Amino acid sequence: MKKKRAIRNYVLTSIFVVLVFLLTFIPFPVPGTSYNFMGLANLHLGLELGGGVKNTYDIEIADWYEGTEEDAYRETVDRVQYLLDKQYSDAKAYINADKKITIEVPDTTISESFLIGFIEMKSESGEDAEAKVTGQDIESVEYMLSGTTHGVYIKFTEEGKEKFAELTKTVSSKDEQTMYIYMNKNYDQAFSEPTVTEENTMGYTFISGSGITNKSSGKAYADRLAGTMIGVNMTTKTEATEVVSENGNSVRIMMTIVTIAVVVAAVVVAYVLFKELGLVSSLSLFFALAVSVLVSAIFDLQITVAGWLGFVIGFVFNYVLHLYYLNVIKREYAKGKKFIVSFSSGYRGALFNMLDVLLLTTGSVLFLLFIPSNLVRMFVYNFLMTIPGTAFTSMFLNKVFAVNYTAFNLKNEKKVNFTKEANIDEN
């Protein structure tokens, strides 16, 4: 490789890494879209670090509910927690001492989409109209894409099948042909008002419209309806109050200090082991760090201690792979091979070893998801966020930097802390 070409490649690659690193700090609108890229600004603190809001809800149990009161509370908390986990990393729902359910979220408000309510399907609007179908009549609910139409598939019980047939017969015979679906006993405005044109005796129905415009809104609608099968209604007369994180500031400071210390220690150790080549390899490592942050921001993960730990361990894992490759090159060079030959011969063997380690580690970490713990889940997700950057930089970018840098330092092995123990005639 010619020296000028190596310098050019090295400089261009370095500029690319710096630009990606700057993206983590500079927000900008994406041309041609309504999306604003926020970078680090899109990372949000979880409850334990940044606080949030909470509210307490009374529980009304339906007459048709067959379990005990304790069962109703437990099922409600489990369902609410399931919905919270879809949006937040450390939101929580629990039963308090007053036999009420409290919800805490790392946000400024608590969305009604997290609440469990009664469902009432009526042929007339308003509170006084008779509910023909309720949650006890529904067997299952799921999102479905019918052709190009997003919607919700509802299957009824045998008794519900008869009730829904009677309801649709009544509604379809009316001039308006409008069915009214209410949630949470909010009779001022129906949750949905689907149009019914004929009697339905099939025992299932497909509801579209009603704000269902894509897969995400369809699944949210289905989740809301599925909760009505429990047979409880959550209500509150109070406003959400602030949740203050008592140790949030000190924990954030600790996390920042530890992160900086780990990064600095990584650079120092790399320099001690490989001198200037270790510093060059650190550029690849910083690129992986920036990519991991950007991926986390795009997926809008809340920052938690468990998530941060997964991120840091992912960084260290990548760092070990970087040093492993440099050490393989060093061993090849010690055998008497030239710099460029050392990179090529060492890369082939190191590549497959690193790929094996990446696959084995990723698979092992994925198994942790079977542990029913939100902390473990956030650790795994954040660790996996580092894997794309680790794979690209450890198996490719690190080599690009190392090869181009050493191409214009071929005669100064002291700069990379290499020693040759033998000489091989490679001509």
Side-chain angles (χ1 to χ4, degrees):
M1 180 182 292
K2 295 181 179 180
K3 185 174 182 179
K4 289 184 178 180
R5 181 184 174 188
I7 294 175
R8 182 199 64 191
N9 292 344
Y10 179 74
V11 171
L12 290 177
T13 308
S14 299
I15 292 174
F16 171 69
V17 170
V18 171
L19 289 176
V20 172
F21 194 72
L22 289 176
L23 281 178
T24 62
F25 301 97
I26 302 175
F28 62 89
V30 178
T33 71
S34 59
Y35 178 72
N36 290 320
F37 178 81
M38 302 301 294
L40 281 174
N42 202 44
L43 291 176
H44 307 293
L45 297 176
L47 273 172
E48 60 185 344
L49 298 177
V53 294
K54 69 176 181 179
N55 207 347
T56 300
Y57 300 85
D58 295 306
I59 297 297
E60 179 184 357
I61 303 175
D63 295 336
W64 52 265
Y65 183 78
E66 297 180 351
T68 65
E69 184 179 59
E70 289 73 19
D71 291 337
Y73 274 87
R74 177 181 51 78
E75 289 184 49
T76 303
V77 168
D78 289 346
R79 183 66 189 178
V80 172
Q81 188 64 59
Y82 166 77
L83 297 175
L84 291 173
D85 288 344
K86 285 191 169 186
Q87 182 166 336
Y88 301 109
S89 59
D90 63 347
K92 53 187 176 181
Y94 54 90
I95 304 172
N96 60 34
D98 297 329
K99 297 209 70 175
K100 296 182 179 182
I101 293 179
T102 299
I103 299 177
E104 298 184 11
V105 299
D107 211 330
T108 56
T109 59
I110 299 177
S111 171
E112 285 192 359
S113 63
F114 301 128
L115 307 184
I116 307 302
F118 293 145
I119 183 172
E120 296 178 342
M121 296 184 179
K122 301 183 176 186
S123 59
E124 302 286 345
S125 63
E127 181 177 1
D128 296 332
E130 181 184 359
K132 303 292 186 179
V133 177
T134 63
Q136 68 176 326
D137 304 311
I138 298 176
E139 183 175 312
S140 63
V141 180
E142 62 180 311
Y143 160 78
M144 177 180 287
L145 179 63
S146 178
T148 58
T149 303
H150 299 275
V152 175
Y153 172 83
I154 302 176
K155 183 179 180 180
F156 298 99
T157 63
E158 284 301 317
E159 185 177 352
K161 174 182 177 180
E162 302 299 325
K163 291 182 179 179
F164 191 70
E166 181 64 29
L167 172 61
T168 53
K169 180 180 180 180
T170 301
V171 174
S172 62
S173 64
K174 296 169 52 182
D175 292 336
E176 300 86 355
Q177 293 186 319
T178 301
M179 179 195 301
Y180 299 91
I181 301 177
Y182 292 97
M183 298 276 289
N184 297 335
K185 292 191 172 183
N186 179 12
Y187 299 106
D188 295 331
Q189 182 177 4
F191 178 68
S192 177
E193 297 182 9
T195 299
V196 180
T197 59
E198 60 183 356
E199 180 184 359
N200 184 330
T201 61
M202 297 180 292
Y204 60 85
T205 186
F206 178 79
I207 298 179
S208 59
S210 304
I212 305 175
T213 57
N214 51 40
K215 184 176 182 179
S216 177
S217 58
K219 285 191 171 184
Y221 190 103
D223 282 338
R224 190 80 182 274
L225 290 180
T228 65
M229 296 163 55
I230 296 176
V232 300
N233 187 55
M234 298 174 63
T235 58
T236 184
K237 296 180 180 179
T238 62
E239 297 292 330
T241 58
E242 183 181 6
V243 175
V244 179
S245 176
E246 297 181 359
N247 302 313
N249 287 332
S250 58
V251 174
R252 290 199 302 271
I253 293 173
M254 179 274 295
M255 290 166 55
T256 302
I257 292 175
V258 171
T259 302
I260 294 174
V262 169
V263 173
V264 171
V267 174
V268 171
V269 172
Y271 178 76
V272 171
L273 294 176
F274 302 104
K275 300 298 181 183
E276 292 183 10
L277 189 58
L279 296 179
V280 170
S281 181
S282 296
L283 286 175
S284 174
L285 201 61
F286 287 145
F287 175 83
L289 184 65
V291 169
S292 299
V293 171
L294 291 177
V295 172
S296 298
I298 291 173
F299 281 91
D300 194 20
L301 289 182
Q302 279 80 42
I303 301 175
T304 64
V305 174
W308 165 80
L309 187 60
F311 184 83
V312 171
I313 292 179
F315 173 82
V316 174
F317 174 60
N318 191 9
Y319 172 71
V320 171
L321 292 182
H322 273 65
L323 294 190
Y324 167 73
Y325 171 59
L326 296 184
N327 195 54
V328 169
I329 299 170
K330 185 175 182 178
R331 292 201 307 266
E332 293 293 309
Y333 182 79
K335 296 176 183 178
K337 298 179 181 179
K338 295 179 180 179
F339 260 131
I340 300 302
V341 176
S342 299
F343 282 111
S344 300
S345 61
Y347 181 68
R348 285 192 294 268
L351 177 64
F352 289 105
N353 288 337
M354 288 189 291
L355 184 59
D356 287 343
V357 171
L358 276 167
L359 293 175
L360 181 61
T361 302
T362 302
S364 300
V365 171
L366 283 172
F367 270 109
L368 294 177
L369 290 176
F370 288 103
I371 300 176
S373 168
N374 206 32
L375 294 177
V376 173
R377 182 171 61 88
M378 291 314 301
F379 170 83
V380 171
Y381 286 168
N382 280 268
F383 180 85
L384 294 179
M385 288 293 179
T386 68
I387 293 298
T390 296
F392 175 73
T393 56
S394 64
M395 295 192 296
F396 175 72
L397 190 60
N398 191 29
K399 175 179 180 287
V400 171
F401 272 122
V403 169
N404 285 287
Y405 174 77
T406 53
F408 52 86
N409 285 282
L410 292 177
K411 296 183 180 180
N412 195 348
E413 60 185 23
K414 292 182 179 180
K415 286 188 175 183
V416 295
N417 203 25
F418 282 11
T419 56
K420 186 173 293 187
E421 299 174 0
N423 286 296
I424 298 177
D425 185 3
E426 298 171 284
N427 294 322

